[in-house]
Amino acid sequence: MSDMDARDDGRLDRSLSACYGDLAGAPVPVRLHGRIVRTIQARDARRASGHGLRRGLGRLAPAALAVVFVAAVAVAVLPWAQRGTIAPAGPTASATAGATGSATASATASATASRPPLATAVPPTAAPTAFPAGATRITAVNLGETWMTVTIGGNVVGQLACGETGTYAVTAYPSTVQVANDQGGASTVLVRHSAPMWWIYRPDGFTVAETAPPVNRDYAACPTPYAGSDPSGVVTWSFDYPTVTGTTADAAINSAISASAERWAGQLAGDLLTLRAARSTPTGTGSLTGYWAADTSIPGWLSISVSMNPTLDPAPVDGIPMWTADLVFDLSDGHQVGVDELFTKPADGLAVLSAQTRKLMGLTADGGIYAAATTPDALASAMWYPQCDGVRLVFADPVKASLPTASLYQTEVLIPWSALKSVLAADSPIHSVKRC
Amino acid sequence: MKLRGEVVDLSAVETMESFVHRVLPEAYRLATVMLRDPVGAEDVAHDAVVAAWERRASLRDPDALDAWFARIVANKCRDRLRDRSRHPIAELTPEAEPRGADTSTALADRDELGRALAALTPDEQIVLGLRFGRDLEVREIARRLGQPEGTIKSRLHLARLRLRGALAASRTRPEETR
């Protein structure tokens, strides 16, 4: 290779690094986790339905049945065995930490049942952070997870319910610290700046390290269980929705969130009852599960992404996908923020949003089958969600509008910030989300 | 030789939701750099995680999860890139975006590079994504994709050659055709 070629390759490599570097840190979209879980659950349900079960059982020889039994025992026993070995909470843990987990907040006492024993805590999967020399204690606060696990030196030293703060002493060096949600993950994108969160202190009390920018640490959005059924008891629902504490508009926000939960549970239960009634023999039960994710990463705003998963048993009906909704609240007064509030001039902004929506959805200029839903006026009340890479809009599928389950069919489009730059309000909180 | 019990161990211990939680970030990151398309990466990550969960019993060596999983993601990306080359998507040019700062040389160069990358073969795009998006060395790329190091080196070399050729050609074109 000549010197010129080498120089060209060097320039090209730098360009490629810059090009790909923009993509490397892209956060996982808010709804993707729930979408995957629901897909797997739906596939499992279909496999477990009568046809698959009969076919599967017919093929099983007695010896194979014995293997299934052994595997089932393993499924029941191994998780406990594994947790016990990964997360020891013996004398070492308490001696190392000298833990003094103190609950300084009780925002979600009703949302958390009995505290699980430390031995069953799912250990963090994120890489541990080295403890700074000279630090003596760690303070951790859980602002959004059902449970948060704190690990020091590889040992689980405490579990904090949502809203709780715990302080733990560290006596052994070198040490590491990790925090995790109740599934072992460091956190989710949905609550990336709020939970888990921890600070490390030096003897003089000065904070020397923390995992996240000091934003929104003053309020929590904690999971609150919501369960119920329709009057006939045929359709039941059970899911958690977030309840906020610590804002100046807790009451207004929580009232709107709980009202939404009740409304959607009722509406989807009605849809399932309609589907059930349409069967040749109207039997079976319906259930609703949901995934409500609070994103507190935008100062001044709380964004909630909702995904509901309706099912109808036996023999789940194909084509009942997730049902989604987005809620964005202004923390100062609790009002629900419309997408038109993003723009300096709402009319101009909505016009640009409409044009971009139609372009990205591959529609004709007049919007085609989405004409009514994508007019500037209609977009003013559209479901939207602010993301790092743009505005996500959600639309009902007009082709299926005549079906009783029309609300279950939706499509999404992501409008990149770059396409809206000329019309975004300069003082909008949205400018902070663009940095995430 | 791996015992059957180890296979049962892997698939039985972990719940589906924690599995998804564990592998999804890597799936999305891999798909994003392989496709250079965060929106398309959502679909690929979705399909890859679902496929991985359903095929998890076929993973004999739990220590090889990352390579096994990367191959699933790469296969999904390859399919999507092939499909994209058959049905190209019109490039988004925001109508509302004012001309000026954003039409700087750097961005124009980036656009050219993007077009040149899109013209590469799916396998070349995948290798470049792992090399420059995930900052992986040739040996690690080879391990994850289950291919010989020589193949990866060759793809990187050819991809660079083709990129340089495409960029040189675009720069010699008359300005109005840009």
Side-chain angles (χ1 to χ4, degrees):
Chain A
M1 182 189 286
S2 70
D3 288 348
M4 188 173 291
D5 285 345
R7 277 198 301 276
D8 283 351
D9 270 356
R11 267 200 299 271
L12 180 59
D13 284 3
R14 284 193 294 278
S15 298
L16 286 167
S17 294
C19 177
Y20 282 104
D22 291 345
L23 298 165
V28 180
V30 289
R31 273 193 284 269
L32 193 48
H33 181 279
R35 182 181 156 205
I36 292 169
V37 168
R38 282 187 295 279
T39 298
I40 294 173
Q41 286 172 339
R43 289 182 179 215
D44 287 349
R46 275 197 290 276
R47 269 194 290 272
S49 64
H51 176 66
L53 188 61
R54 279 193 301 276
R55 190 174 56 185
L57 285 174
R59 289 177 179 171
L60 283 176
L65 282 170
V67 171
V68 170
F69 174 75
V70 170
V73 171
V75 168
V77 172
L78 281 174
W80 296 100
Q82 168 128 338
R83 287 173 182 173
T85 56
I86 292 179
T92 307
S94 55
T96 303
T100 56
S102 57
T104 58
S106 58
T108 57
S110 62
T112 53
S114 58
R115 186 178 300 274
L118 290 186
T120 65
V122 180
T125 55
T129 300
F131 218 86
T136 56
R137 63 194 170 96
I138 172 178
T139 295
V141 57
N142 180 353
L143 294 178
E145 307 286 359
T146 303
W147 290 101
M148 188 174 99
T149 303
V150 181
T151 304
I152 296 177
N155 297 310
V156 176
V157 297
Q159 284 186 300
L160 298 171
C162 191
E164 282 186 342
T165 299
T167 299
Y168 307 92
V170 177
T171 57
Y173 294 96
S175 194
T176 58
V177 62
Q178 292 166 282
V179 289
N181 63 20
D182 52 349
Q183 292 187 336
S187 183
T188 66
V189 171
L190 314 166
V191 286
R192 54 190 168 270
H193 287 172
S194 67
M197 180 177 283
W198 51 269
W199 300 268
I200 297 171
Y201 293 93
R202 291 193 308 222
D204 58 8
F206 187 76
T207 307
V208 294
E210 57 184 294
T211 58
V215 295
N216 299 343
R217 62 171 61 154
D218 52 343
Y219 83 99
C222 297
T224 300
Y226 177 49
S229 71
D230 75 294
S232 66
V234 170
V235 179
T236 58
W237 56 82
S238 177
F239 55 89
D240 293 346
Y241 60 75
T243 297
V244 302
T245 51
T247 76
T248 56
D250 286 356
I253 295 171
N254 291 332
S255 172
I257 295 172
S258 61
S260 294
E262 290 171 15
R263 187 171 64 250
W264 290 328
Q267 177 183 330
L268 290 172
D271 285 342
L272 287 177
L273 287 171
T274 304
L275 277 176
R276 180 177 181 269
R279 287 176 165 175
S280 55
T281 307
T283 57
T285 57
S287 64
L288 293 171
T289 54
Y291 182 65
W292 292 54
D295 181 348
T296 61
S297 63
I298 311 172
W301 282 1
L302 166 68
S303 307
I304 299 173
S305 174
V306 182
S307 299
M308 298 293 291
N309 184 31
T311 57
L312 190 59
D313 295 320
V317 178
D318 284 338
I320 301 185
M322 64 178 182
W323 191 94
T324 60
D326 298 319
L327 304 169
V328 184
F329 291 101
D330 184 328
L331 294 175
S332 63
D333 59 9
H335 90 274
Q336 202 166 333
V337 182
V339 72
D340 55 333
E341 295 180 55
L342 292 176
F343 309 118
T344 307
K345 296 178 181 175
D348 293 350
L350 291 170
V352 172
L353 196 64
S354 172
Q356 291 297 328
T357 300
R358 290 172 175 180
K359 189 170 190 172
L360 285 170
M361 290 174 75
L363 304 171
T364 53
D366 64 357
I369 59 171
Y370 285 91
T374 55
T375 63
D377 284 348
L379 289 179
S381 54
M383 283 193 287
W384 73 286
Y385 192 96
Q387 291 187 197
C388 283
D389 37 7
V391 173
R392 187 172 289 272
L393 296 169
V394 183
F395 300 101
D397 185 338
V399 175
K400 299 184 173 67
S402 61
L403 299 177
T405 55
S407 62
L408 302 177
Y409 296 90
Q410 297 179 321
T411 188
E412 298 181 350
V413 64
L414 181 72
I415 315 296
W417 293 120
S418 61
L420 301 172
K421 192 165 60 178
S422 65
V423 286
L424 283 178
D427 58 349
S428 169
I430 209 65
H431 291 291
S432 60
V433 80
K434 291 164 72 177
R435 291 198 296 270
C436 60
Chain B
M1 182 178 178
K2 301 290 180 188
L3 299 175
R4 286 185 61 82
E6 289 184 47
V7 177
V8 173
D9 196 2
L10 177 74
S11 56
V13 164
E14 190 163 33
T15 66
M16 181 267 284
E17 292 212 22
S18 66
F19 175 83
V20 174
H21 188 89
R22 184 159 63 97
V23 303
L24 175 57
E26 181 66 1
Y28 184 70
R29 279 193 290 267
L30 285 172
T32 301
V33 296
M34 288 177 182
L35 296 176
R36 292 176 301 105
D37 168 17
V39 177
E42 279 191 53
D43 290 339
V44 164
H46 169 277
D47 293 351
V49 174
V50 171
W53 173 253
E54 294 184 339
R55 294 182 215 156
R56 65 196 185 283
S58 68
L59 175 62
R60 298 284 160 180
D61 179 6
D63 292 337
L65 173 67
D66 61 340
W68 176 77
F69 187 61
R71 283 195 285 278
I72 293 177
V73 177
N75 287 336
K76 300 284 181 190
C77 286
R78 193 176 293 112
D79 292 345
R80 194 172 184 93
L81 288 167
R82 283 183 184 140
D83 190 54
R84 190 188 285 175
S85 66
R86 283 194 291 266
H87 308 286
I89 300 170
E91 197 172 336
L92 171 68
T93 309
E95 290 166 350
E97 200 148 344
R99 296 201 172 272
D102 278 358
T103 54
S104 63
T105 306
L107 279 182
D109 288 349
R110 185 82 54 95
D111 286 346
E112 277 178 15
L113 184 57
R115 282 191 289 273
L117 282 166
L120 298 178
T121 68
D123 283 326
E124 288 168 347
Q125 293 184 55
I126 287 169
V127 170
L128 283 176
L130 292 174
R131 177 69 190 91
F132 294 99
R134 301 292 287 149
D135 203 23
L136 299 180
E137 297 297 333
V138 168
R139 173 177 293 185
E140 180 61 15
I141 297 171
R143 186 185 74 82
R144 294 211 186 185
L145 296 181
Q147 290 168 345
E149 284 184 42
T151 303
I152 304 302
K153 282 181 185 169
S154 165
R155 281 191 187 144
L156 280 173
H157 176 68
L158 287 174
R160 279 196 183 99
L161 277 182
R162 294 180 58 186
L163 284 175
R164 283 170 52 187
L167 291 173
S170 73
R171 281 166 190 156
T172 55
R173 263 181 236 139
E175 189 65 25
E176 59 271 20
T177 63
R178 286 247 186 121

